[in-house]
Amino acid sequence: MVSIRTGHISITGNFRENNEDSYVVDESQRYFIVADGMGGQNAGEKASALAVELIPKQLEQLLKFDGGPKAEIVDAIDQSVDYANSEIMSLSEVDPSARNMGTTVVFLVRAGDNFYIGGVGDSRVYLLRNGDLQQMTKDHSLTQALLEAGTINAEEAKTHRYRNVLYRYLGTKDGSSGTDASEIKPEPGDRFYLCSDGVTDGIGDEQIQELLVCSDDPQEIAQKLVDAALEGGSRDNITGVVVIVE
Ligand code: CA
């Protein structure tokens, strides 16, 4: 496995009473997950916490971290996310305080020499490679769907009123229809960023790109990205995980 360094932070921000984001950074650096919960009372917190607790448990059982065919790895990831989705749905049916809870999830999973990146919802994974920032995940938002259908353009999408409305997330049946995980071979110098939409609520891709190279210390980068999002007017919880490939 290639050597990596990571930084991570999650803050409530200035406008919310609680932090509905959750994340996990595996001690053995095999997986990284960011989840952004939604639902009344404390339901959002519960849903995102469940996602970052249950998905790793399943991955530990199902996934061959020393590598294997892409189809097998992706299947293990999809099953793990599917399991978390079912648990979240079940709990939301039996617990009135958790009714209608849901969560997004994005992940970077390492198996053998490859990274597997995907998710459900509108949290994102970015890759900065050779000076180019690329969004590696797809937003499952109505705005993104309208953009793809050609109904609106990219400029309109930035401020569109449905940009926070999701058509796929965990806590619904559609949460189980796969994570669109892509396989990528990491290269020295690659910088990955997993984040909740609280980051992109405050800053755009250009600023993310700049800040991802503002330091060699991943924790400092994670902190600066969150600070910039806050300063940029984010009204949401803000969470980010930085992964630097050596
Ligand atoms: Ca959010």
Side-chain angles (χ1 to χ4, degrees):
M1 275 192 177
V2 293
S3 167
I4 61 172
R5 291 180 298 129
T6 64
H8 40 89
I9 184 170
S10 179
I11 65 166
T12 304
N14 292 335
F15 294 89
R16 299 283 182 98
E17 279 181 4
N18 47 0
N19 191 347
E20 297 188 322
D21 290 354
S22 298
Y23 72 99
V24 62
V25 168
D26 174 39
E27 277 180 10
S28 309
Q29 300 189 324
R30 295 164 303 169
Y31 49 78
F32 309 89
I33 301 171
V34 168
D36 176 353
M38 61 205 93
Q41 281 103 33
N42 297 318
E45 275 176 62
K46 228 177 256 180
S48 67
L50 278 169
V52 303
E53 179 197 334
L54 297 175
I55 294 170
K57 273 192 190 157
Q58 292 299 301
L59 288 175
E60 304 268 0
Q61 287 179 29
L62 300 174
L63 197 122
K64 290 188 192 124
F65 288 102
D66 51 357
K70 181 187 174 191
E72 269 178 35
I73 305 283
V74 171
D75 190 47
I77 293 171
D78 283 353
Q79 279 188 51
S80 301
V81 172
D82 182 10
Y83 175 79
N85 188 50
S86 305
E87 289 295 303
I88 290 167
M89 280 175 72
S90 309
L91 193 63
S92 104
E93 273 162 29
V94 298
D95 178 356
S97 76
R99 191 167 298 161
N100 297 327
M101 70 174 171
T103 185
T104 73
V105 62
V106 284
F107 55 81
L108 188 165
V109 173
R110 305 173 70 194
D113 291 330
N114 291 316
F115 288 5
Y116 296 83
I117 289 168
V120 180
D122 67 348
S123 297
R124 291 178 175 174
V125 181
Y126 288 95
L127 165 60
L128 182 65
R129 172 177 285 176
N130 301 327
D132 279 329
L133 187 76
Q134 199 188 339
Q135 184 180 334
M136 306 293 291
T137 48
K138 176 178 159 156
D139 297 347
H140 296 129
S141 66
L142 291 187
T143 296
Q144 180 60 30
L146 291 171
L147 186 63
E148 278 168 24
T151 312
I152 58 172
N153 63 38
E155 203 49 44
E156 289 167 321
K158 282 182 191 163
T159 53
H160 197 268
R161 65 197 160 113
Y162 290 147
R163 73 186 188 284
N164 295 319
V165 180
L166 304 183
Y167 63 87
R168 282 192 62 206
Y169 55 93
L170 302 199
T172 65
K173 271 189 199 146
D174 285 343
S176 284
S177 49
T179 60
D180 294 328
S182 54
E183 181 186 71
I184 179 160
K185 199 172 262 316
E187 292 179 3
D190 281 353
R191 294 184 177 204
F192 293 87
Y193 189 49
L194 291 73
C195 63
S196 66
D197 68 344
V199 170
T200 44
D201 195 34
I203 53 176
D205 286 3
E206 259 176 49
Q207 234 175 323
I208 291 174
Q209 173 159 351
E210 268 172 34
L211 289 169
L212 273 176
V213 291
C214 76
S215 164
D216 265 326
D217 174 2
Q219 189 59 38
E220 190 183 343
I221 294 172
Q223 179 73 52
K224 285 202 169 160
L225 278 156
V226 162
D227 290 346
L230 203 58
E231 229 167 85
S234 174
R235 302 177 68 84
D236 205 350
N237 308 136
I238 311 173
T239 302
V241 177
V242 174
V243 176
I244 296 181
V245 179
E246 299 288 34

